[in-house]
Amino acid sequence: MSRNLSVAVIGAGRMGVDHVQRLARRTHGAEVSAVVDIDPARAAAAAAGVPGAAALTDIRAALEDPRTDAVLIATPGFLHEDALQAALARDIPILCEKPLTPDSVSAWRVLQAEEKLGRKRIQVGFMRRYDAEYAHLAELIRSGELGELLMLHHQHRNPATPPGFSNEMLINDSVVHEFDAVRFFSAEEITSVRVRTGKTTRNAPAGMSDPQQVLMETTSGVLADVEIYVNAQYGYEVGTQAVFEQGVVRIGNDAGPYLSARGRWGGIVLPGFAERFSAAYDREIQSWVDAALQGDIGGPSAWDGYAAAACCEAGVEAQKTGRTVAVELHEKPLLYQS
Ligand code: ISE
């Protein structure tokens, strides 16, 4: 394909608007063919000022447009399956914001539809894999330079949560990133999840336990724990300590620059995920466009999205019961074994 990849962005909420600007202004080889949203005013506002971008209210109109080469799905997770099935029917490249779908059963239906095409078409929006520190840690693990990976300690702190954010969303919307991170770092499946709740911050909404501790184990016995704290107040901080046979690696502390002034010193803490992972989102979308222009797809696959959905289901059950819950997965289809 000599020309730009012409992308229809589905969903004009916060992530959709962000991706429209990213594709139009910061991604080489891409342009926006349409912005689709059920609210015509939101679609028009998101498409405004973007050359060639039509404002539509129906994904099928975007898919029927011969200009559309690919779709980026940024609607709420419960709308993903319909959009994915429609885009797979067009057999075009798809970037689907996490989650692939909200549950493993619907995720498995999407995998079966993709498998029928005989090739991968879906990349799932686990953008942390494109964070420079995450990529460096993954390379260190693969190199074996520090011996075997033994444990992973994650801190995932949000300053506050939007209205309606629930206990379940701590798992499905937030810890889903650590489920993917542990699978990415260990290159293994997660076999069990346990969730512990304890003393709760007064800054959490009624009924929410915050912070929570999520414990997981992988196929070879790597132990991972996540402090998920979504009303931490002070800022947005996502860090990981990886423990090896011959060393420990720490990533995610926004060092700054360190400032010494007015009798104080310290680094900076960013206000939110959009700032902390801005470069990762850019790399993620550039990587997806580059691959799509070559007729390929890389990055987190629909299998990764399905496995994360299964981990979330186990996590929510563990959160509700206090028990350690096994993660149940189908056998991995051949398409996803390479
Ligand atoms: C949010 O939806 C995200 O995806 C952020 O990356 C994550 O840090 C946050 O906890 C989620 O609520």
Side-chain angles (χ1 to χ4, degrees):
M1 185 184 300
S2 58
R3 59 182 174 80
N4 283 347
L5 186 76
S6 193
V7 182
V9 177
I10 318 301
R14 172 180 182 178
M15 288 309 302
V17 168
D18 196 29
H19 285 314
V20 167
Q21 292 302 312
R22 175 170 291 106
L23 285 163
R25 307 195 191 294
R26 298 199 299 277
T27 306
H28 304 295
E31 61 193 43
V32 178
S33 65
V35 181
V36 182
D37 196 278
I38 193 165
D39 176 344
R42 276 204 336 177
V50 178
L56 303 172
T57 56
D58 180 358
I59 184 176
R60 282 150 186 82
L63 291 172
E64 285 159 11
D65 182 342
R67 290 187 307 146
T68 298
D69 303 318
V71 294
L72 190 159
I73 298 171
T75 50
F78 72 93
L79 297 174
H80 285 185
E81 184 181 6
D82 285 351
L84 285 159
Q85 294 286 6
L88 286 170
R90 241 313 291 271
D91 194 3
I92 54 177
I94 303 162
L95 188 287
C96 182
E97 267 295 340
K98 59 96 182 166
L100 177 69
T101 68
D103 60 270
S104 62
V105 171
S106 57
W108 185 250
R109 284 196 295 266
V110 170
L111 262 84
Q112 290 176 309
E114 184 177 49
E115 236 195 315
K116 287 195 179 96
L117 298 178
R119 57 177 170 170
K120 293 179 199 170
R121 280 304 207 176
I122 299 170
Q123 177 174 327
V124 181
F126 290 125
M127 83 297 175
R128 290 192 189 176
R129 295 188 182 202
Y130 297 87
D131 175 72
E133 290 188 287
Y134 268 64
H136 187 186
L137 176 52
E139 283 163 24
L140 261 175
I141 295 167
R142 307 286 180 261
S143 74
E145 184 184 331
L146 296 174
E148 287 295 310
L149 174 69
L150 305 173
M151 299 186 95
L152 289 163
H153 305 295
H154 299 275
Q155 301 82 41
H156 181 166
R157 300 176 183 139
N158 293 357
T161 51
F165 201 92
S166 65
N167 262 324
E168 286 196 16
M169 288 175 74
L170 257 87
I171 302 295
N172 292 330
D173 199 56
S174 299
V175 177
V176 64
H177 285 292
E178 278 77 22
F179 287 136
D180 183 66
V182 171
R183 295 185 64 255
F184 174 55
F185 289 141
S186 68
E188 297 177 353
E189 294 304 340
I190 293 167
T191 55
S192 68
V193 183
R194 183 183 174 203
V195 178
R196 299 180 69 207
T197 57
K199 192 168 185 176
T200 288
T201 173
R202 74 188 69 184
N203 299 310
M208 180 185 286
S209 295
D210 187 33
Q212 299 187 19
Q213 193 180 54
V214 180
L215 307 171
M216 54 191 100
E217 183 168 351
T218 72
T219 314
S220 73
V222 173
L223 297 179
D225 58 83
V226 185
E227 173 213 311
I228 178 67
Y229 187 12
V230 293
N231 291 283
Q233 306 297 297
Y234 72 93
Y236 182 84
E237 195 166 28
V238 168
T240 298
Q241 265 192 41
V243 181
F244 296 82
E245 290 175 301
Q246 284 106 34
V248 174
V249 176
R250 294 169 180 79
I251 63 170
N253 300 91
D254 302 327
Y258 279 105
L259 171 73
S260 294
R262 296 180 289 282
R264 299 173 65 88
W265 74 279
I268 57 169
V269 178
L270 295 170
F273 69 86
E275 295 83 1
R276 168 67 181 80
F277 290 109
S278 171
Y281 279 113
D282 288 351
R283 281 193 203 97
E284 172 194 45
I285 299 306
Q286 186 66 68
S287 168
W288 173 66
V289 167
D290 291 348
L293 287 169
Q294 302 300 319
D296 200 3
I297 201 84
S301 68
W303 173 265
D304 296 310
Y306 160 71
C311 289
C312 285
E313 281 166 352
V316 168
E317 186 183 341
Q319 186 186 63
K320 288 177 175 170
T321 63
R323 287 188 295 104
T324 299
V325 179
V327 178
E328 306 288 346
L329 291 174
H330 288 291
E331 190 170 327
K332 185 186 283 190
L334 202 59
L335 180 64
Y336 304 100
Q337 290 186 17
S338 55

